[in-house]
Amino acid sequence: MTIMTPIDPEQSVKTCYSTWGTSYYDDYYTDKAPYPPVHRDLIRRELQKHAPKSLLDAGCGPASILRDLGDLGIDLYGFDLTPEMIAECKRVMTERGHPVERFWQGSVTNREHFRAPTGGPSVFDAAICVGVLPHIPAEQDSVVFKNLHESVRPGAMVMVEARNMLFSLFTLNRYSQQFFADELLPLAALREIAGEAKTESVLDGVKARFRMDVPPVRKGKEGEPGYDEVLSRTHNPLVAREQFAAAGFKDVEVLFYHFHAFPPMMQDEAPDAFRRLSVQMESNPRDWRGYFMASAFFLKGIAA
Ligand SMILES: C[S@@+](CC[C@H](N)C(=O)[O-])C[C@H]1O[C@@H](n2cnc3c(N)ncnc32)[C@H](O)[C@@H]1O
């Protein structure tokens, strides 16, 4: 999906997250969250399966995932781009007894930042990267995959999360229209063969079939740019898995989460059923319907 890349995407992402350090965990990981943090459970299950000794969380935010992994007996490390996020991460993790030097500020686009500035292993036993890829310019995706690959030992398990571009076919709203216009319709060729006016008619016809007024744009809390106002891309799982494999991962799997039992704009028709049926679908992250009905996915692979 074509999204304008701001001049300095990292700066605007930092500003977007600067007001979220202390409230992010409450917003998404506690009883106050609109939906249970099913992705955290998915990560826990995979970590328990692979039993790493050390874990790096690249883009760890306020330790929103790390803080709940303390009981697994893994040495936990993490870094994040946003100073306010990493400050909160350090506060939360040191409170739980983890050494402060295991958490630092850094960017997933810089290979050097995948090592703790003082001490720590040169390569990790496992790595996760959650909620970060949407903010990475398209041309840097493969850099991030490569950095993750180089930051772990051979045989290590890596999970990277992305927003599912194909979900836009199920939402029947302006995301669907964008997906048609940006990814599916052969617009340049159509313009050449049929001319501008006919091309516009086709585009208008597509637009007319979707609810163009939803979803509302998410704004910032204190005047800073909101999530939808900074670079927040979606990824095509079919394409992303190939890119992930090309970065050196084998046994690559796509694990879906945040299922929607019916298109979200219709959830108010039967809110309890919507939630219950959606949560039920989370039990199988390999369900093929995830390609359309899940708004997010993990790429999971083993470093070759
Ligand atoms: C949606 S939050 C996710 C936080 C945490 N990983 C989680 O899943 O709960 C996205 C995080 O990615 C961080 N981030 C964005 N771009 C980054 C980059 N280039 N390098 C490292 N972190 C980045 C932001 O600062 C923010 O804390």
Side-chain angles (χ1 to χ4, degrees):
M1 205 161 284
T2 311
I3 292 176
M4 293 291 285
T5 304
I7 311 283
D8 182 355
E10 289 202 350
Q11 190 48 50
S12 51
V13 166
K14 265 189 207 171
T15 316
C16 165
Y17 282 105
S18 64
T19 55
W20 241 344
T22 50
S23 60
Y24 191 84
Y25 183 78
D26 270 0
D27 288 351
Y28 294 106
Y29 291 88
T30 63
D31 293 347
K32 293 181 199 150
Y35 197 72
V38 290
H39 59 301
R40 182 188 56 194
D41 304 335
L42 190 46
I43 290 170
R44 274 185 78 87
R45 285 202 299 275
E46 294 300 328
L47 287 173
Q48 280 166 326
K49 226 185 275 173
H50 291 271
K53 286 195 175 60
S54 60
L55 169 71
L56 175 68
D57 186 349
C60 61
S64 28
I65 293 173
L66 288 179
R67 69 176 80 181
D68 294 326
L69 299 178
D71 60 317
L72 296 183
I74 304 172
D75 289 340
L76 303 172
Y77 295 80
F79 69 87
D80 196 278
L81 182 70
T82 307
E84 291 81 359
M85 284 290 193
I86 206 67
E88 179 65 359
C89 167
K90 284 181 181 172
R91 189 189 69 74
V92 167
M93 294 306 276
T94 50
E95 222 175 62
R96 286 163 171 71
H98 300 271
V100 71
E101 63 275 10
R102 291 189 181 174
F103 312 98
W104 63 97
Q105 194 185 340
S107 172
V108 295
T109 57
N110 187 331
R111 169 67 186 99
E112 299 301 311
H113 296 176
F114 280 70
R115 281 181 75 158
T118 47
S122 54
V123 286
F124 296 88
D125 266 359
I128 57 173
C129 182
V130 187
V132 183
L133 218 51
H135 305 307
I136 301 301
E139 63 279 8
Q140 300 259 51
D141 280 351
S142 55
V143 173
V144 176
F145 292 161
K146 201 163 157 281
N147 286 344
L148 281 163
H149 183 263
E150 287 178 7
S151 74
V152 296
R153 63 163 176 78
M157 191 270 296
V158 173
M159 293 174 82
V160 191
E161 180 268 353
R163 295 170 70 207
N164 181 9
M165 182 188 281
L166 303 182
F167 175 59
S168 62
L169 282 176
F170 193 60
T171 56
L172 311 175
N173 58 14
R174 73 183 147 81
Y175 291 146
S176 322
Q177 184 272 336
Q178 265 170 25
F179 184 69
F180 270 71
D182 296 346
E183 302 289 331
L184 298 181
L185 299 177
L187 291 177
L190 181 60
R191 278 197 179 96
E192 219 167 272
I193 295 167
E196 189 60 34
K198 292 284 179 201
T199 305
E200 282 310 307
S201 307
V202 169
L203 281 171
D204 286 345
V206 169
K207 248 185 204 165
R209 269 129 188 109
F210 298 118
R211 278 282 303 272
M212 295 299 290
D213 55 327
V214 285
V217 173
R218 285 167 284 189
K219 302 265 181 201
K221 296 180 181 192
E222 296 168 14
E224 79 286 6
Y227 190 90
D228 291 329
E229 295 168 313
V230 298
L231 182 69
S232 51
R233 296 165 54 224
T234 57
H235 287 74
N236 182 333
L238 298 164
V239 175
R241 73 174 295 156
E242 299 302 324
Q243 290 172 336
F244 193 57
F249 291 99
K250 60 179 184 177
D251 303 336
V252 177
E253 282 193 283
V254 181
L255 304 176
F256 292 102
Y257 72 93
H258 281 177
F259 281 85
H260 294 70
F262 37 92
M265 78 170 95
M266 292 154 200
Q267 64 183 289
D268 289 344
E269 303 295 329
D272 294 342
F274 176 76
R275 192 185 161 93
R276 238 174 60 206
L277 296 172
S278 300
V279 171
Q280 260 174 32
M281 292 185 81
E282 308 286 357
S283 63
N284 181 12
R286 293 171 178 84
D287 187 333
W288 69 266
R289 292 174 298 175
Y291 279 99
F292 306 102
M293 297 171 76
S295 59
F297 64 91
F298 282 107
L299 293 169
K300 183 200 149 193
I302 303 298

